[in-house]
Amino acid sequence: MHLPIATHRVEFLHHPHPGYPHLTAWGIRIDGTDLRVLVAEATRALWSREVDEDDYTPQEREEFLLGQHAPLHLDDDADGSRARAHFLGDAPPDLRARDTGALCLLGCSCGIDACWPLLAMVRATATEVTWSGFHQPHRPEWGELPLGPYVFPRPAYDQALATPVPLAQDPLTPQLGEG
């Protein structure tokens, strides 16, 4: 007997890029939670093996976890077709893993998306889009992160991509000590 896979809700956000407010960022929420928050939770124990907790206050550790990634800055074109292609699995070569085809869903907080990317496999069919196999390519010892898979109904996914939620600032600005 096949159990149905739970579907999720995705929102794409448009807001100034953290640290580079002249650029527009593509943020992501899954089921109402910023993807960076989900990644922070998924990597908390992994980072604790590498970072001496005595070196940071609890607030600094939290800011580090939340700020390890930034929303993507994708070169916008008039109709948004580049971003739609990216999030449907057709990412440009610099935002894609050559060996697996996984693509960048979050970039580095330094402003160079490919510097510290969050990669995942994105598979789109006529009925759904699935994100799975989340990983950090610069930490292969971490393996696949405990995120997803996330399955989104294709019509809702397409609608979310076509109408990103406009925000005046990065929604994590207060938690990142920038607000």
Side-chain angles (χ1 to χ4, degrees):
M1 177 175 164
H2 254 236
L3 295 175
I5 295 175
T7 60
H8 298 272
R9 182 174 48 89
V10 68
E11 293 173 278
F12 292 95
L13 315 172
H14 255 179
H15 56 77
H17 191 285
Y20 302 91
H22 63 288
L23 300 176
T24 301
W26 280 82
I28 301 167
R29 286 185 189 139
I30 298 174
D31 298 330
T33 301
D34 194 292
L35 181 55
R36 292 170 292 168
V37 172
L38 297 171
V39 173
E41 288 305 314
T43 59
R44 185 177 307 280
L46 297 165
W47 277 118
S48 71
R49 295 181 209 153
E50 295 184 34
V51 177
D52 186 351
E53 291 197 19
D54 294 335
D55 290 343
Y56 300 97
T57 67
Q59 181 179 341
E60 289 169 335
R61 280 193 304 277
E62 197 60 26
E63 288 174 11
F64 170 79
L65 287 168
L66 291 173
Q68 68 182 300
H69 291 289
L72 294 179
H73 167 67
L74 299 171
D75 292 330
D76 284 329
D77 48 344
D79 65 358
S81 60
R82 287 186 199 134
R84 278 196 299 283
H86 178 90
F87 288 113
L88 286 168
D90 188 18
D94 63 322
L95 297 177
R96 170 182 296 285
R98 287 187 199 119
D99 55 342
T100 65
L103 62 89
C104 186
L105 292 177
L106 292 174
C108 184
S109 59
C110 80
I112 301 170
D113 290 329
C115 176
W116 183 260
L118 173 69
L119 298 180
M121 297 301 297
V122 175
R123 300 279 185 243
T125 69
T127 59
E128 63 189 26
V129 178
T130 303
W131 293 359
S132 63
F134 290 84
H135 65 282
Q136 172 41 256
H138 302 300
R139 292 293 190 279
E141 66 275 14
W142 287 1
E144 186 174 326
L145 298 174
L147 287 170
Y150 298 110
V151 178
F152 309 105
R154 179 67 186 261
Y157 190 94
D158 287 341
Q159 180 64 31
L161 265 176
T163 57
V165 176
L167 299 174
Q169 70 175 11
D170 179 345
L172 294 189
T173 294
Q175 293 97 316
L176 293 171
E178 300 168 7

